[in-house]
Amino acid sequence: MEKLFERHDTYLSEVPMDYIRDFMHRIDWDSRLVIVKGSKGVGKSTLLLQYIKKNFDADDRHVLYCSADTNYFTTHTIVDLVDKFVKRGGQWLFIDEVHKYEGWSREIKEVYDLYPKLHVVLSGSSLIQINDGQADLSRRMMHYEMPGLSFREFLKLDMGLDIDSIALETLLDTPNKFCSYIRSLCHPLEYFSRYLKVGYYPFYFENKRVYYNHLEDVVNYIVDVELTKYRSIDVGNTRSLKALLQVISQMTPYEVDIAKLSKATGISRPSTLKYLTHMEEACLIRRLFADLKHVTDLQKPDKIYLDNSNLLYMLCPQQPEIGTVRETFFANQLTSAGHTVEYAGYKSGDFRIDDNTVIEIGGADKGFTQLEGQNHSFVAADDIESATMRKIPLWAFGFLY
């Protein structure tokens, strides 16, 4: 236990506190059992440590942070740790990277049942399953999906601009007021293109020169380690998955042809559909459907994007198609802000949001032809600073969270 507390102290002493993401306030920390899921690199470990440092004294031994991939757990179980911790007065236990502990859900369920006064906070891969057959934690556990940085958060870290997020409804109702306010603080287009290329993962600010190397390592880890272990994909097929990501990075944002995608990667149609499902679970891609209420297993998606524009710029062998970049950004930001995003349909706008709003994406000259007959419809236009009627700058949708 003392070794764990020594590491706990070291981690807390090193965690930066100059910027704490608003995602911290989304979490109900008073719940007895919480898990924060998300892709590798989005900042889950930092979030847990920041919460501890903000809410507990430095020498408080009622709280303990540890990582499930440390050597301690090669000879000790989670149940053993909790038993010792609680007997010493422990009240809050934070376990990072819990997915790396074999059988974690079964032991966490046991801990939950045995120690009703203990608060347990976990972090894990986006592929982690709350109900994995060993223990169903879905009724006991509050779970949260942590995204990467929004454009708003990037501006805070990059420029020190402290701007509150805006609700989508407010942005659509008064876009010119909001855009005028942002323009009074900065020229958003000056920073937007850089965000699209390098601004999504917080580790950009740790070492900007090797950002894409680090991002490539993240993708390789997800494909080579996480997908093979947690989705039982054969190691021999990881090259095919990476080839599939490369092909998706070069796709234009039109309707998906699975037959062509399968042919280009040498993967059978059923395997392609299965891989796409798993890669979306891993936060590598995003599938869009015209009707989410009636999606069936292995159904062909209507559109496919990489999860975020940084992945697009890293994976695409050439300069990515600008329309793909714009739509990737929009889908990512709206989904990360908690909105339901669907394909609006051919010649009916690009996206349907929350089943009641249609938005078409384009450049500065984009018109409203494709939105004729669509109620509550808007154009999200790149390369403009001001909003005019129903045309809103694309960058403004980066302030939703």
Side-chain angles (χ1 to χ4, degrees):
M1 285 290 292
E2 291 306 320
K3 283 291 184 183
L4 289 180
F5 276 118
E6 287 178 15
R7 290 176 182 170
H8 164 99
D9 293 339
T10 300
Y11 286 131
L12 287 181
S13 68
E14 295 175 350
V15 67
M17 296 297 289
D18 50 333
Y19 179 65
I20 298 174
R21 295 183 62 185
D22 287 351
F23 186 83
M24 182 179 288
H25 307 302
R26 290 196 205 177
I27 298 171
D28 181 5
W29 297 97
D30 290 330
S31 297
R32 283 183 54 205
L33 183 56
V34 170
I35 187 166
V36 179
K37 299 166 57 180
S39 174
K40 184 177 177 62
V42 296
K44 302 184 297 296
S45 302
T46 299
L47 183 83
L48 267 56
L49 288 165
Q50 286 178 330
Y51 180 80
I52 297 170
K53 193 164 185 175
K54 184 179 179 184
N55 292 279
F56 298 89
D57 292 335
D59 58 351
D60 192 336
R61 289 310 190 230
H62 296 99
V63 58
L64 173 63
Y65 168 93
C66 58
S67 181
D69 63 352
T70 60
N71 288 333
Y72 177 88
F73 288 107
T74 60
T75 55
H76 299 80
T77 66
I78 290 176
V79 174
D80 291 337
L81 168 63
V82 171
D83 180 63
K84 294 176 183 177
F85 182 52
V86 171
K87 286 177 179 176
R88 294 177 53 155
Q91 298 173 0
W92 287 80
L93 178 63
F94 292 73
I95 305 179
D96 204 1
E97 305 273 15
V98 72
H99 59 282
K100 295 182 179 179
Y101 183 98
E102 195 72 33
W104 69 272
S105 60
R106 183 182 64 253
E107 292 196 37
I108 291 296
K109 179 181 180 297
E110 185 175 347
V111 165
Y112 182 92
D113 294 337
L114 286 175
Y115 304 96
K117 294 184 179 181
L118 179 68
H119 291 268
V120 179
V121 181
L122 312 171
S123 83
S125 162
S126 54
L127 289 167
I128 202 169
Q129 292 181 307
I130 307 304
N131 179 9
D132 66 354
Q134 298 184 54
D136 183 3
L137 296 171
S138 58
R139 290 174 296 174
R140 298 171 172 84
M141 179 181 285
M142 296 291 293
H143 55 95
Y144 301 86
E145 294 279 349
M146 186 173 184
L149 299 174
S150 65
F151 180 45
R152 179 187 75 89
E153 293 174 307
F154 172 77
L155 287 176
K156 170 62 177 178
L157 284 166
D158 194 51
M159 300 298 299
L161 295 177
D162 198 359
I163 303 169
D164 291 336
S165 60
I166 184 170
L168 177 61
E169 183 179 354
T170 305
L171 175 62
L172 298 179
D173 286 346
T174 57
N176 195 49
K177 178 181 177 181
F178 177 73
C179 293
S180 296
Y181 168 64
I182 299 301
R183 291 192 341 264
S184 72
L185 302 175
C186 68
H187 293 290
L189 291 176
E190 181 179 353
Y191 309 100
F192 187 51
S193 61
R194 186 152 57 90
Y195 169 79
L196 293 173
K197 295 175 182 176
V198 298
Y200 188 70
Y201 295 90
F203 55 75
Y204 168 70
F205 294 97
E206 297 172 9
N207 192 332
K208 298 177 181 180
R209 290 180 299 175
V210 296
Y211 178 70
Y212 282 144
N213 299 86
H214 195 166
L215 185 52
E216 185 175 9
D217 290 341
V218 167
V219 172
N220 287 335
Y221 179 83
I222 292 172
V223 174
D224 296 335
V225 179
E226 293 193 340
L227 283 172
T228 57
K229 183 173 182 179
Y230 305 115
R231 290 300 179 269
S232 301
I233 291 178
D234 191 276
V235 175
N237 293 330
T238 57
R239 288 176 62 87
S240 297
L241 264 68
K242 293 174 185 178
L244 189 55
L245 288 172
Q246 287 275 338
V247 172
I248 293 171
S249 74
Q250 300 172 70
M251 291 171 59
T252 51
Y254 302 116
E255 294 188 41
V256 175
D257 188 328
I258 292 295
K260 289 184 178 178
L261 198 58
S262 299
K263 184 178 180 180
T265 57
I267 308 172
S268 69
R269 186 181 190 278
S271 293
T272 297
L273 291 170
K274 181 179 72 172
Y275 289 168
L276 291 174
T277 300
H278 294 332
M279 287 196 293
E280 183 174 51
E281 292 173 324
C283 298
L284 290 175
I285 69 166
R286 188 179 315 281
R287 302 175 302 159
L288 287 192
F289 299 90
D291 184 2
L292 280 173
K293 296 176 183 177
H294 299 97
V295 172
T296 60
D297 290 342
L298 299 182
Q299 180 174 326
K300 179 184 82 70
D302 294 289
K303 284 190 175 184
I304 304 174
Y305 303 96
L306 291 174
D307 178 77
N308 59 81
S309 59
N310 289 192
L311 287 175
L312 182 56
Y313 275 100
M314 190 274 289
L315 287 165
C316 190
Q318 299 85 30
Q319 187 78 357
E321 206 274 333
I322 189 59
T324 306
V325 175
R326 293 164 176 162
E327 294 188 23
T328 298
F329 163 79
F330 183 87
N332 170 271
Q333 297 288 282
L334 270 289
T335 303
S336 297
H339 295 281
T340 300
V341 180
E342 296 174 290
Y343 174 48
Y346 184 59
K347 294 186 177 180
S348 301
D350 290 312
F351 300 103
R352 183 169 59 252
I353 311 301
D354 298 333
D355 207 30
N356 61 14
T357 303
V358 175
I359 298 183
E360 175 76 9
I361 313 297
D365 298 327
K366 189 69 178 181
F368 293 86
T369 304
Q370 288 181 266
L371 297 176
E372 289 182 5
Q374 297 285 342
N375 294 324
H376 207 243
S377 57
F378 303 84
V379 167
D382 198 5
D383 298 321
I384 64 172
E385 278 200 336
S386 303
T388 57
M389 297 179 64
R390 289 155 47 218
K391 181 180 284 190
I392 303 171
L394 179 62
W395 55 260
F397 293 91
F399 287 81
L400 300 179
Y401 74 93

